[in-house]
Amino acid sequence: MYPNEEARKNPNRIAAVMGGSGRQLTYGQLDASANQLAHLFRDQGLVRHDHVAFFMENSLELIVACSAGERSGLYYSAIDAKFTAEEAAWIVNNSTARVVITTVALRPVAEELVKRCPQVERWLMVGLEQSEGPFESYTKVTETLPTSPQADERVGAYMAYTSGTTGRPKGIARELPDMAPSDPLPIMAFVAEIYRLHPGCVTLVPGPLHHMGGQAPASLTIRLGGTVVIMEHFDPQKYVELVDTYQVTNSLVVPTMMSRMLALPAEFKEKHTMASMETLLHGAAPCPTSVKQQMIDWVGPVVYEYYGATEGNGITFVDSGEALERPGTVGRAKVGEIVILDDDGNELPTGSIGQVWFRGRINYEYFDDEKKTAESRTPDAMLSTVGDIGFLDEDGYLFLTDRVAFTIVSGGVNIYPQEIENVLADHPDVADVAVIGVPNKDRGEEVKAIVQLRDGIDPDTYDSQILLDACEGRLAKFKRPRSIDYVDEVPRSSNGKLDKKGLRKKYWEGHATPLV
């Protein structure tokens, strides 16, 4: 998010705008404010490779904070604003952050963080008029600092954390190149190609900026002199209206967002075709084929999908035409080479289901975790895993069946929940669904579906046989759910991933299992 060139040429151009409040940040304001915060980091004694953390909601101040880290030679991490004190403290402590920036809205949790994170040297709080206790007023401490850049600026890097759906979040650390932040970064050109960004683009970010799905397109758009439209919270109708208001050209969404947009009234969708959209990219979670088909029917062949982990060790890509020709594929490799291995590390032939590995791009480590780093790659460091299960077709297109950790083992047979979820998600009565394994005395595990019905359908009177019948002809008998539970909302993380760890905990309490 280094905007100094655009700040010199077009200081009044809008760099970022909040979709809800309409607050705007020009390139000139962004550059000046980021310089002030960078001076604070330097005055605190932070040097290249040190760490800072931002526990903040989506905001213009978070954009500024990330830009300051990028020009200070620091590793900087943003933390999910919905995290509990325990969850947030894990990242603050694991990242060895010396300065933390938070907000008044998050003060109750931030006060607990202070107790849990004794190594933090400074706590800044956005929205605090006067310094109180351990929290300093962000505005008061930065407003008197120089707006000019430091003479010896070095590039910093965002240290993302994995979602932690199968364990503690892990920091993805890459070596910092010793270069000025204004120098072109080779990886930026490639990532911009994946996101299909271009100079002057208008990018709508509907998800959290702490996730790479929000962080990367926002940062790249600013480097390209475009405008970032940031949603405080995702709302399907507001999203569509923002596309029209700001003539949005690019956006990255997760499948549940598309599902909720598709559920909008037909007359609204007929009026709002999102005609300015050049690229509607989705990823981060599996997408039912019916959702993708309906989205393409609505907005046209501008729907693209990428698949890859936060680690960036491999990326696949698929456009609308390919997705319709091969329903369910996540595309062919753009980065790395896809290799499917069995449990013993042997390469499997085309069409065989196994663990998905990538060859050729291992340029990361899990921060302060040598064990997890070693487990993520083969001993010769030639291959690294993303923890998913799938297969390749004869043309090299990848199809996913599930996460390794989510596999249900029933009577010694592997069952992949995503396959079942895809079938149930296609039913018009289903708004969202998760499939998990629950205890079975005879078979070890059995299949349970947890379903969120569409608005207006009463789960208390709904006949589950309707959904069970929908599985006939599409799923083998042993794969079909033995039971269905209904919930008001299927739990997902802020980046759209199913919280299966949390769901399983309820059913496995008191049972011995490696899954929880």
Side-chain angles (χ1 to χ4, degrees):
M1 298 190 186
Y2 192 72
N4 73 332
E5 183 177 351
E6 192 67 24
R8 286 196 303 270
K9 294 188 302 183
N10 300 299
N12 294 322
R13 178 176 174 79
I14 302 302
V17 56
M18 299 305 299
S21 68
R23 288 183 62 211
Q24 297 181 346
L25 187 70
T26 67
Y27 272 91
Q29 292 168 332
L30 172 56
D31 195 47
S33 297
N35 282 332
Q36 288 177 315
L37 186 55
H39 279 286
L40 182 143
F41 293 151
R42 179 63 59 85
D43 292 347
Q44 187 62 26
L46 273 63
V47 297
R48 192 165 172 264
H49 292 106
D50 279 343
H51 294 248
V52 292
F54 313 133
F55 182 44
M56 307 168 70
E57 315 94 327
N58 277 10
S59 63
L60 300 181
E61 287 81 7
L62 181 52
I63 293 288
V64 170
C66 291
S67 185
E70 189 178 26
R71 65 187 64 198
S72 302
L74 303 176
Y75 287 108
Y76 53 101
S77 300
I79 302 170
D80 192 338
K82 295 180 180 178
F83 271 8
T84 64
E86 180 180 353
E87 293 168 323
W90 163 258
I91 293 179
V92 172
N93 289 328
N94 179 258
S95 68
T96 65
R98 294 176 57 186
V99 175
V100 174
I101 303 176
T102 185
T103 69
V104 166
L106 299 178
R107 184 166 184 167
V109 179
E111 288 176 342
E112 286 297 314
L113 279 183
V114 174
K115 303 172 187 176
R116 296 169 181 259
C117 306
Q119 88 287 350
V120 176
E121 299 166 14
R122 254 181 128 165
W123 297 86
L124 307 181
M125 183 169 282
V126 175
L128 191 66
E129 294 185 7
Q130 300 291 335
S131 297
E132 298 176 15
F135 300 111
E136 298 178 78
S137 166
Y138 173 87
T139 301
K140 292 292 184 183
V141 298
T142 58
E143 64 184 359
T144 60
L145 295 172
T147 58
S148 56
Q150 297 176 25
D152 58 346
E153 286 185 327
R154 307 314 285 165
V155 72
Y158 186 70
M159 190 169 87
Y161 272 77
T162 61
S163 59
T165 50
T166 58
R168 287 284 198 181
K170 300 179 290 292
I172 312 300
R174 293 180 173 84
E175 180 54 41
L176 287 175
D178 188 8
M179 58 190 290
S182 57
D183 292 339
L185 299 171
I187 191 173
M188 289 294 183
F190 173 76
V191 177
E193 178 186 348
I194 292 293
Y195 289 110
R196 297 177 59 85
L197 301 171
H198 54 80
C201 60
V202 180
T203 300
L204 176 55
V205 176
L209 285 167
H210 77 265
H211 186 260
M212 283 304 294
Q215 179 73 207
S219 177
L220 287 165
T221 296
I222 288 173
R223 276 188 170 264
L224 290 167
T227 297
V228 182
V229 183
I230 304 164
M231 296 188 75
E232 290 89 342
H233 305 283
F234 177 74
D235 173 84
Q237 181 171 324
K238 184 66 174 178
Y239 177 97
V240 176
E241 291 170 345
L242 287 171
V243 171
D244 286 353
T245 298
Y246 292 100
Q247 290 296 284
V248 169
T249 59
N250 297 72
S251 189
L252 173 60
V253 298
V254 297
T256 52
M257 293 177 180
M258 293 194 291
S259 294
R260 291 170 187 174
M261 286 189 274
L262 289 168
L264 291 168
E267 57 272 19
F268 179 85
K269 289 188 290 183
E270 289 173 4
K271 181 180 178 181
H272 299 275
T273 60
M274 297 192 277
S276 64
M277 189 75 76
E278 300 170 5
T279 299
L280 181 61
L281 182 66
H282 71 88
C287 181
T289 54
S290 59
V291 169
K292 179 171 286 190
Q293 175 73 69
Q294 292 174 60
M295 205 71 203
I296 294 171
D297 291 343
W298 180 14
V299 302
V302 297
V303 179
Y304 300 82
E305 180 175 4
Y306 79 97
Y307 160 74
T310 308
E311 289 83 344
N313 51 335
I315 298 174
T316 69
F317 190 80
V318 60
D319 63 26
S320 292
E322 293 169 312
L324 295 179
E325 290 172 4
R326 291 175 166 82
T329 185
V330 294
R332 291 191 288 189
K334 266 283 198 186
V335 172
E337 175 191 355
I338 304 169
V339 181
I340 307 297
L341 302 181
D342 65 17
D343 291 341
D344 296 322
N346 302 308
E347 191 166 344
L348 293 171
T350 297
S352 297
I353 294 175
Q355 191 167 345
V356 180
W357 295 72
F358 281 96
R359 176 186 286 126
R361 185 182 172 86
I362 305 178
N363 63 349
Y364 70 91
E365 293 183 350
Y366 292 124
F367 184 69
D368 197 31
D369 199 329
E370 293 182 4
K371 183 174 182 290
K372 289 292 185 184
T373 299
E375 290 173 350
S376 72
R377 58 195 61 172
T378 52
D380 59 6
M382 292 297 294
L383 300 172
S384 56
T385 183
V386 290
D388 286 329
I389 296 171
F391 66 92
L392 291 169
D393 71 7
E394 63 279 3
D395 295 316
Y397 285 86
L398 177 64
F399 294 76
L400 299 177
T401 55
D402 222 299
R403 295 282 296 172
V404 171
F406 297 156
T407 303
I408 299 169
V409 183
S410 182
V413 177
N414 286 353
I415 299 173
Y416 305 116
Q418 186 181 318
E419 181 183 8
I420 307 164
E421 289 162 357
N422 289 343
V423 171
L424 292 173
D426 280 344
H427 197 280
D429 294 345
V430 176
D432 203 358
V433 59
V435 170
I436 61 173
V438 297
N440 179 291
K441 289 182 179 180
D442 179 43
R443 306 185 65 81
E445 292 183 87
E446 66 177 56
V447 179
K448 176 178 284 290
I450 299 167
V451 170
Q452 174 186 334
L453 294 169
R454 294 281 183 189
D455 291 344
I457 302 177
D458 185 357
D460 293 331
T461 59
Y462 188 76
D463 183 3
S464 295
Q465 194 60 43
I466 295 172
L467 298 182
L468 296 176
D469 289 346
C471 297
E472 288 193 27
R474 298 187 65 183
L475 294 171
K477 188 175 181 180
F478 73 91
K479 297 179 183 178
R480 298 174 199 165
R482 295 289 189 94
S483 58
I484 300 176
D485 287 353
Y486 298 95
V487 294
D488 292 336
E489 185 172 5
V490 172
R492 289 182 178 270
S493 66
S494 55
N495 59 3
K497 294 183 185 294
L498 285 168
D499 181 16
K500 289 192 175 180
K501 182 181 178 183
L503 283 172
R504 285 192 302 240
K505 188 173 183 180
K506 167 187 172 183
Y507 295 96
W508 283 95
E509 189 171 354
H511 296 267
T513 172
L515 294 179
V516 178

